[in-house]
Amino acid sequence: KYSLTESYRILQLPAEGNKSAAQVKDAYLRLAKLYHPDSGTPTADAELFAKVEEAYRAVLTHQRKTKQSCQGKTTEEEETRQATLAHRHYLSYEGVGSGTLFQRENQYRQIRVNRAAEKVLDYRQREHERAAAAEGELVERDVRQRSHKIKITQAVERLVEDLIQESMARGDFRNLSGAGKPLTKFEDNPYADPMTHNLNRILTDNGYQPPWVVTQRDIREAIAHIRKKLLVSRARLGDPMTPIEQSQWKQLCEFVQEELVKLNKMVDSYNLIVPLLTMQMVHFSLSREMDRAVKG
């Protein structure tokens, strides 16, 4: 067998650089036409053709081995790269799962779903605990407030009881009118509850009046004062009035108008609290009050 350099020399190819299979084949065919015994050319030589053929086979063998070696390296690199990618893929799933990449991916997704569900449950549990704690604080505060009110009520009751006992010890209840006699029945309504009647009587004796009664009284007093003022002022003015008197009357009417606005607001409040519809009042008008003063 010839060496690679010798084979290139026989095929008349330069030894430098890599030769492609096409270049080697072209060189072989060119020399075969010259040296093949059956070519019929003057240069036909069986011995030289045998050398050319052997050199051609040596070059092809060398190129085939080189190609296989390169393919082997490429395959090894590809396997290494695939293994690296698989390893990275495995690491991206936090080392969870087993089997193929697709199986590990599905397993990792299921694990993530389970983790999310656990986080949701933990969050809901914390919210329930927080709400329960807040509700417990409200209940505890209500209990404290009720306890405080009960303590105050009990303290007042003890104070009243102590005052009653002191009054009894001093004899304040000995000379009361009607002592030792049964309570007088109220003849106006024998079916009324005695407790309610007595409470109302106590309130009345102490000057208590319902709010609508007080408001009604204030309205009547205010309108009476306004009417008296208009009547007195109009009586002082002449008839017919001079320009100065007309100016004074106009100023008085403006003042009365402001007072009537306030009074009508009281009427609105009274109409909201009066117990009977027939007892409601209408608004007071400046024109009507002026006519009343002029006619009066």
Side-chain angles (χ1 to χ4, degrees):
K1 291 183 179 181
Y2 299 108
S3 63
L4 182 62
T5 304
E6 185 67 18
S7 298
Y8 282 152
R9 186 185 63 79
I10 294 173
L11 294 174
Q12 298 179 4
L13 292 172
E16 296 80 7
N18 295 326
K19 309 299 184 295
S20 64
Q23 292 176 342
V24 175
K25 185 177 181 180
D26 290 341
Y28 169 72
L29 293 176
R30 179 173 53 81
L31 295 176
K33 291 178 181 180
L34 292 175
Y35 301 123
H36 196 278
D38 298 333
S39 63
T41 59
T43 57
D45 189 341
E47 185 177 355
L48 288 176
F49 177 75
K51 291 181 179 181
V52 169
E53 187 175 8
E54 187 175 355
Y56 174 65
R57 291 178 179 177
V59 172
L60 290 180
T61 302
H62 175 73
Q63 289 182 346
R64 185 168 57 253
K65 290 181 179 180
T66 302
K67 185 177 181 180
Q68 290 177 355
S69 177
C70 293
Q71 289 180 350
K73 291 182 179 180
T74 303
T75 303
E76 184 178 356
E77 291 177 356
E78 184 67 21
E79 291 177 355
T80 303
R81 188 176 68 84
Q82 291 293 339
T84 302
L85 291 177
H87 183 63
R88 290 178 181 175
H89 209 55
Y90 180 76
L91 291 178
S92 65
Y93 296 147
E94 302 178 6
V96 175
S98 60
T100 63
L101 296 178
F102 180 73
Q103 292 174 346
R104 287 204 301 272
E105 183 178 1
N106 291 336
Q107 294 171 8
Y108 182 67
R109 287 179 180 176
Q110 185 62 38
I111 290 175
R112 291 186 62 184
V113 171
N114 295 337
R115 289 178 181 175
E118 291 177 358
K119 290 182 179 179
V120 170
L121 292 177
D122 292 341
Y123 173 76
R124 289 181 178 177
Q125 183 177 0
R126 289 195 301 270
E127 289 297 321
H128 287 312
E129 292 176 354
R130 188 180 297 109
E135 184 177 359
E137 292 178 358
L138 293 176
V139 172
E140 184 178 358
R141 185 176 61 185
D142 293 340
V143 170
R144 288 199 302 268
Q145 291 178 353
R146 287 197 298 269
S147 177
H148 182 66
K149 291 180 180 179
I150 292 173
K151 290 180 180 179
I152 293 176
T153 303
Q154 292 176 350
V156 172
E157 291 177 353
R158 287 196 300 269
L159 177 61
V160 172
E161 184 66 24
D162 293 341
L163 293 175
I164 293 174
Q165 294 296 331
E166 291 178 1
S167 298
M168 292 176 64
R170 290 195 303 267
D172 295 340
F173 299 148
R174 293 176 183 174
N175 299 322
L176 295 177
S177 60
K181 298 179 181 179
L183 295 175
T184 57
K185 294 290 183 179
F186 27 92
E187 299 177 356
D188 53 345
N189 187 5
Y191 301 103
D193 180 38
M195 181 64 69
T196 303
H197 176 78
N198 291 330
L199 290 175
N200 292 333
R201 182 175 57 81
I202 292 173
L203 292 174
T204 303
D205 294 343
N206 287 274
Y208 173 79
Q209 292 179 342
W212 66 271
V213 174
V214 178
T215 306
Q216 184 186 53
R217 182 190 61 197
D218 295 340
I219 292 173
R220 289 177 177 176
E221 291 178 355
I223 192 62
H225 177 71
I226 291 174
R227 287 172 178 174
K228 181 179 180 181
K229 190 172 184 178
L230 283 174
L231 186 61
V232 172
S233 299
R234 184 65 184 86
R236 291 177 181 176
L237 300 177
D239 190 12
M241 293 183 290
T242 63
I244 297 177
E245 292 175 343
Q246 290 180 356
S247 176
Q248 294 176 354
W249 178 250
K250 183 178 180 181
Q251 291 179 358
L252 178 62
C253 291
E254 291 177 354
F255 173 77
V256 170
Q257 178 64 31
E258 295 178 358
E259 295 296 322
L260 288 179
V261 170
K262 298 178 182 178
L263 186 60
N264 288 330
K265 291 182 178 179
M266 293 178 61
V267 171
D268 292 336
S269 300
Y270 167 79
N271 291 336
L272 292 175
I273 60 177
V274 68
L276 297 178
L277 185 63
T278 56
M279 299 178 64
Q280 290 186 347
M281 296 182 178
V282 297
H283 283 187
F284 296 97
S285 172
L286 177 62
S287 60
R288 290 198 301 267
E289 299 302 327
M290 290 173 60
D291 293 340
R292 181 192 294 268
V294 171
K295 293 178 181 180

